Amino acid sequence: MAEKEVENEGGSGKVFLVLGLLLGLGLGGGGVYFYFGQDDTAVEGEQGAAKKVVKEETFPVEFKRLAVQIFRTSRSGRRRLVGNYFIDLQVNVFGEDNQITVIRSRAQIQHAFLAVISRSELMREDSPTELDHDKTVAVLKKRADELLGAGIVESVTIMQSMVISN
């Protein structure tokens, strides 16, 4: 009787072994079909899409110690000086050619940045003495795109902003 119990245990183990082997073959066959079974046009289309997704490498151009006067418009419509700031910016551009273009136009870009900062309302709503970095970056990116053309500047980053007390 002990021999029959051993045979039954071995029989159920073989069933699981065969089921596992069939499952492995099925998954392996499906993987091979998926990998090799696609037509060439679908593969070329996917490769073309992958190439389009990959963007050019970005390169930084730094604008150090821009001295900026920040104004705030009061309810009466008068503009009041909030403070003087030093701002360190980094403009990230697509490709080395665009980096050279931005470096050559640095003075013009810097002037445009200073002008748009002094005209815009860039202070935080909850703290009128602190610069709103998100709003400032959006304004500067828009101005850079207007000046240089779309697709050259990837982003503008404020590296540091420091207020100088009046």
Side-chain angles (χ1 to χ4, degrees):
M1 193 127 189
E3 291 177 10
K4 287 183 182 179
E5 288 179 16
V6 171
E7 286 180 22
N8 287 340
E9 287 179 14
S12 63
K14 289 179 185 177
V15 170
F16 286 123
L17 179 65
V18 170
L19 285 175
L21 183 62
L22 290 175
L23 181 64
L25 287 173
L27 289 174
V32 168
Y33 173 76
F34 180 75
Y35 187 74
F36 291 110
Q38 296 181 351
D39 60 336
D40 291 339
T41 57
V43 173
E44 288 175 10
E46 289 176 9
Q47 289 174 348
K51 288 180 184 177
K52 290 179 185 176
V53 171
V54 176
K55 294 184 178 181
E56 285 186 74
E57 188 177 351
T58 57
F59 294 92
V61 178
E62 294 182 349
F63 291 81
K64 294 277 189 179
R65 293 286 190 208
L66 297 179
V68 180
Q69 290 184 333
I70 304 290
F71 292 91
R72 183 167 181 86
T73 305
S74 65
R75 291 183 182 160
S76 64
R78 297 184 61 188
R79 290 178 49 88
R80 183 176 72 90
L81 178 67
V82 174
N84 295 304
Y85 283 80
F86 280 120
I87 300 175
D88 293 340
L89 299 173
Q90 180 174 310
V91 176
N92 300 306
V93 296
F94 294 114
E96 290 181 35
D97 293 338
N98 291 334
Q99 182 186 30
I100 292 169
T101 301
V102 171
I103 290 170
R104 287 181 180 164
S105 304
R106 185 186 300 263
Q108 183 182 9
I109 296 167
Q110 183 172 330
H111 177 72
F113 282 175
L114 293 174
V116 75
I117 287 173
S118 65
R119 286 192 314 261
S120 302
E121 294 287 328
L122 300 176
M123 303 313 287
R124 290 180 36 183
E125 295 294 326
D126 60 338
S127 179
T129 59
E130 292 183 37
L131 189 65
D132 186 341
H133 286 215
D134 294 335
K135 193 185 301 184
T136 304
V137 165
V139 166
L140 294 177
K141 168 75 166 87
K142 181 180 176 188
R143 184 63 182 124
D145 287 343
E146 290 170 357
L147 190 63
L148 300 171
I152 292 178
V153 175
E154 190 266 332
S155 65
V156 177
T157 306
I158 296 176
M159 303 305 287
Q160 181 179 11
S161 64
M162 179 175 41
V163 66
I164 303 168
S165 58
N166 293 338

